[in-house]
């Protein structure tokens, strides 16, 4: 479906919302973009960079003549944003999102006065550790997966428009249930972020206790493992709390893996250690070979 949006309203004009606007502009798939956000300085950056045509800090006013509204705010902001737009959303407008946890996004819409049938939940599997409009770039979604989690109640016309929008932004589409999405993303995205935050804090505490600053000796391995610990703390707090059950399962699974390694090291079980490391290396090498390191 060839799509040309008349008025796209992006609520949360940061890395994801800004990159989507830039990609759609580049594809000539949108006529006018309004960016909504909390920070006047960030919106001014977005305007200067040509991401948006106009900005607003008034959600109700901004959405009143939209034909597509995209929520690209942290998960914890959904309830307030949905409430603010409920009275002025035009009939037939499509509402979608880019949030990292889908069950909570759907629950927030169901608890709001926004029509759940016209809400199409989406999650582009692309990002960086940087935040804000300054970090946005048009190629972010190029050839990357975007997972849609509609259900039987989702309006098919709204779904087709959201699919066309992400395709024009360069993404490859995939559908699954919100529950499946949250389980799989807990494993491959949410747990790694938690592990990176925890690892940096472990080293930080070691530094407080020891004579040397351990960060002074940290090199490539530490940099690779911890890159994502530079991500937005607010966003990751919200993701952790909004995918609590699936993430707790993954934390327990990770603790069990660490305990197995701990027991092997404590028992000088070289065979067990080697087997664990070989299995992990084989799985990672296969991932790189099959997917090039990307989903
Ligand atoms: P970001 O911090 O770059 O942008 C979020 C923007 O939302 C900011 O400009 C902030 O000022 C604004 N905002 C926050 N609360 C608001 C509110 N109540 N009303 C209006 N604006 C508000 O974050 P991002 O990386 O663009 O993430 C946006 C969403 O996309 C999040 O839900 C995140 O989980 C999801 N996501 C992020 C990534 C990633 O790697 N960064 C990838 C896929 C999906």
């Amino acid at each position: 479906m060839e799509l040309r949006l008349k008025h796209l309203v992006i609520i949360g004009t940061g890395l994801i919302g800004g990159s989507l606007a830039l990609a759609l502009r580049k594809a000539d798939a949108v006529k006018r973009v309004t960016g909504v956000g909390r920070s006047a300085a960030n919106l001014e950056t977005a305007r200067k960079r040509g991401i948006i045509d106009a900005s607003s800090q008034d959600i109700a006013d901004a959405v009143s003549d939209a034909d597509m509204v995209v929520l690209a705010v942290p998960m914890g902001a959904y309830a307030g944003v949905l409430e603010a737009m409920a009275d002025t959303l035009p009939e037939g407008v499509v509402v979608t999102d880019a949030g990292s946890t889908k069950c909570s996004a759907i629950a927030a819409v169901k608890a709001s006065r926004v029509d759940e049938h016209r809400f199409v939940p989406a999650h582009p599997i692309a990002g960086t550790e940087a935040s804000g409009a300054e970090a946005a770039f048009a190629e972010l979604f190029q050839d990357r997966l975007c997972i849609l989690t509609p259900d039987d109640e989702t309006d098919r016309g709204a779904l087709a428009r959201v699919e066309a929008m992400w395709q024009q932004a360069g993404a490859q589409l995939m559908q699954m249930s919100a529950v499946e999405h949250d389980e799989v993303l807990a494993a491959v995205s949410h747990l790694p972020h938690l592990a990176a935050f925890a690892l940096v804090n472990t080293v930080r505490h070691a530094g407080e206790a020891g004579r040397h600053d351990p960060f002074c000796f940290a090199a490539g391995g530490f940099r690779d493992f911890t890159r994502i610990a530079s991500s937005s703390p607010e966003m990751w707090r919200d993701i952790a709390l909004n995918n609590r059950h699936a993430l707790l399962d993954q934390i327990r699974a990770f603790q069990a893996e660490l305990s197995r390694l701990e027991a092997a090291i404590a028992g000088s079980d070289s065979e067990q250690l080697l087997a664990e490391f070989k299995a992990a290396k084989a799985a990672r090498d296969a991932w790189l070979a099959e997917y090039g390191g990307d989903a």
Side-chain angles (χ1 to χ4, degrees):
M1 179 203 226
E2 192 65 18
L3 177 84
R4 186 139 205 276
L5 296 168
K6 285 203 275 299
H7 183 202
L8 171 68
V9 175
I10 304 265
I11 319 264
T13 317
L15 170 70
I16 299 295
S19 296
L20 178 60
L22 283 176
L24 293 173
R25 280 193 184 291
K26 204 173 159 190
D28 198 23
V30 63
K31 204 165 159 213
R32 183 159 65 98
V33 182
T34 298
V36 182
R38 290 175 309 184
S39 149
N42 183 61
L43 290 171
E44 183 53 18
T45 301
R47 209 191 45 75
K48 279 197 183 136
R49 290 198 59 211
I51 296 172
I52 56 175
D53 300 294
S55 68
S56 170
Q57 287 179 294
D58 182 340
I59 294 177
D61 181 53
V63 301
S64 64
D65 69 341
D67 58 349
M68 176 81 76
V69 176
V70 179
L71 272 63
V73 292
M75 304 312 304
Y78 272 46
V81 165
L82 289 161
E83 179 55 31
M85 68 171 70
D87 288 326
T88 53
L89 264 185
E91 188 123 340
V93 68
V94 177
V95 181
T96 183
D97 79 322
S100 303
T101 65
K102 296 317 334 163
C103 290
S104 73
I106 293 166
V109 173
K110 286 194 168 154
S112 80
R113 290 177 295 128
V114 170
D115 179 7
E116 66 194 70
H117 302 101
R118 302 201 66 87
F119 173 67
V120 181
H123 179 204
I125 310 298
T128 74
E129 68 279 20
S131 304
E134 193 62 62
F137 59 103
E139 297 75 26
L140 178 61
F141 308 114
Q142 194 60 48
D143 299 323
R144 307 301 297 267
L145 266 185
C146 179
I147 301 177
L148 304 174
T149 65
D151 61 20
D152 293 346
E153 306 289 304
T154 310
D155 180 273
R156 296 296 114 177
L159 175 59
R161 286 175 71 76
V162 172
E163 284 177 337
M165 181 182 79
W166 283 108
Q167 270 166 343
Q168 276 172 291
Q172 309 280 333
L173 302 181
M174 186 176 183
Q175 277 191 29
M176 60 173 71
S177 75
V179 170
E180 284 173 314
H181 168 279
D182 285 4
E183 283 173 1
V184 77
L185 268 295
V188 297
S189 172
H190 307 169
L191 177 68
H193 278 81
L194 247 78
F197 287 128
L199 188 96
V200 174
N201 280 335
T202 306
V203 174
R204 193 169 59 79
H205 291 311
E208 285 161 8
R211 210 156 53 85
H212 294 290
D213 177 5
F215 289 108
C216 167
F217 308 98
F222 184 81
R223 176 180 289 271
D224 287 350
F225 189 93
T226 62
R227 176 181 62 79
I228 52 180
S230 292
S231 304
S232 159
E234 179 191 22
M235 184 177 106
W236 281 98
R237 173 204 60 194
D238 286 2
I239 291 171
L241 295 177
N242 279 281
N243 198 16
R244 172 180 294 145
H245 297 299
L247 183 54
L248 285 174
D249 284 347
Q250 289 307 317
I251 289 173
R252 289 182 196 114
F254 189 52
Q255 284 168 335
E257 292 292 341
L258 281 179
S259 297
R260 235 195 328 274
L261 293 181
E262 182 186 15
I265 293 167
S268 297
D269 189 340
S270 107
E271 262 178 45
Q272 176 70 17
L273 266 187
L274 201 58
E276 299 281 353
F277 294 166
K278 276 184 175 170
K281 175 172 165 47
R284 185 170 192 277
D285 290 350
W287 168 64
L288 286 174
E290 190 164 351
Y291 300 106
D294 290 329

